[in-house]
Amino acid sequence: MKKLKRYVVTEANYFVCQGYENDPDNLVLVSEHNFERLDDFAASQKYSIFTKEILEDGRKALKPTRYVGIIMLKDGTQIEILPQLCKDFEENIITSKKLLLKMLDGIREIPVRNVDELYFKKEQLNLFEIFVRMYTDEVLNVVRNGLKQTYVPYRGNETFVKGKTIYSEHAKKNYAHKEKFFVEFDIFSVNRAENRLLKKTLQVLDKLSSNNLNKKKIRMLLMALDQVETSTNPKHDFAQSIEDRSMSKYFNAMKWSRLFLLNEGSTFFTGGKVKYSMLFHMDKLFSACIASSLRKQIDRTNYYFLTPEKISNSISNTGMDKEMKPISDFYIKNKLTENTINMRFKFKNFWEYNGTERENTVLVFPVTEVLNTVFNGIGKTMYLIDLNDIDNSVSVLTETFFI
């Protein structure tokens, strides 16, 4: 089996298709064909995923922008883009994935739950494969609890009369077969919309996943869904799916299926210049999670949280203004005094911090302030991210993140 080429990069890196012996570590050499694929893929999207730059020596380069996630090219090359939180490469991979999964936990379309650190420590799964693992765990939970059944319409030529006879079809098919009847009736079956969507999603992921354990679990689950037809019209089947207490075991699996099949929020792409990609705009994600965190933490008896326009905990509508610039200002109003407090949060990569931010800016990467120092509506232990030592980049995610 051909070994996959894997690259892990941040905004500090540049992709080039020509390399020299004395190139710095932040230059990532890819083939000319893959360089063109990345360039074409970025140009085909609504917003720029890479920026084109010319290096001092005249070479063309592609620099990742504010998107994080995974891109797999047609030849199997994997490119994982992560935020830069630490100087140390290996530590940054673990810390940044922890951070992203914590953030994604606040997005309603993505049911991130019970993240096992072995996913990205021992197994070294990229974000997409982590999502696949979470999805297969959810579907396995559904299968173990028994596939839900429902009455579905059945039409066929039978030797008995049941339901109603479709006389137009009966006349055409049974002119010479008086012993048969073309009938329509309902049968109790597992072939309902939700199960068809599960099977369709598993079939899509079976083609995209490159992790052996994930593929093994997918094929095991496909065998469990052998009696279910695959969805041929996911949008119609999602419209037919039921969201009530009786289907609670399906809720998370359906959210994942919606993400993979409908590409909601323009985060998941298949086909075209790449095999697949799953990308999130870091500033949109950050703004949404700050809003989600503040909603949970403020003292609602004394304060209002004034949500800026277009900020919600939805990946498709998360904190970008009309010019597609990230919203960084958040407002909290005192119920008694009617005074409005402005707090400005900015996402900061490790190498972006220069210590010159304004006093009312709460720096989250790599420095954090206790929100209690801004106003007294948030408890003293409510941190967002705590990087203990900037110089040595010893980073620790606090347990109080987004309580």
Side-chain angles (χ1 to χ4, degrees), residues 240-252:
Q240 297 296 313
S241 62
I242 297 173
E243 295 184 8
D244 60 23
R245 189 177 300 176
S246 68
M247 298 296 293
S248 61
K249 296 293 183 183
Y250 279 72
F251 285 172
N252 286 343

Side-chain angles (χ1 to χ4, degrees), residues 61-112:
L62 293 174
K63 186 177 188 296
T65 58
R66 303 295 275 185
Y67 283 87
V68 294
I70 183 77
I71 300 172
M72 178 174 274
L73 303 178
K74 291 290 187 180
D75 65 351
T77 299
Q78 292 183 358
I79 297 171
E80 189 168 23
I81 308 173
L82 299 173
Q84 182 79 44
L85 302 184
C86 317
K87 287 182 179 178
D88 182 75
F89 176 77
E90 296 297 333
E91 182 186 3
N92 189 68
I93 292 176
I94 295 172
T95 302
S96 58
K97 286 182 182 178
K98 276 185 179 181
L99 167 67
L100 290 174
L101 291 169
K102 286 278 190 179
M103 283 186 165
L104 289 166
D105 190 25
I107 303 299
R108 66 169 178 257
E109 294 99 333
I110 306 177
V112 174

Side-chain angles (χ1 to χ4, degrees), residues 16-23 27-30 55 57 59:
V16 294
C17 56
Q18 293 176 298
Y20 303 130
E21 286 187 10
N22 59 345
D23 277 344
L27 295 188
V28 179
L29 179 64
V30 295
L55 302 181
D57 58 14
R59 281 181 291 174

Side-chain angles (χ1 to χ4, degrees), residues 40-54:
D40 290 343
F41 171 65
S44 68
Q45 304 307 318
K46 187 176 181 181
Y47 306 111
S48 178
I49 297 167
F50 298 100
T51 57
K52 292 182 181 180
E53 301 196 14
I54 303 296

Side-chain angles (χ1 to χ4, degrees), residues 170-192:
H170 177 71
K172 286 190 288 186
K173 295 181 180 296
N174 298 325
Y175 179 79
H177 298 276
K178 303 300 183 184
E179 77 284 2
K180 288 193 173 184
F181 306 89
F182 196 91
V183 294
E184 181 182 77
F185 57 92
D186 289 338
I187 59 173
F188 204 50
S189 170
V190 294
N191 192 37
R192 60 184 296 161

Side-chain angles (χ1 to χ4, degrees), residues 193 197 200 231-241 258 261-264:
L197 290 166
K200 177 66 174 180
S231 176
T232 56
N233 189 343
K235 285 187 177 180
H236 177 267
D237 281 341
F238 276 115
Q240 297 296 313
S241 62
R258 192 177 292 273
L261 296 181
L262 299 187
N263 307 344
E264 289 195 344

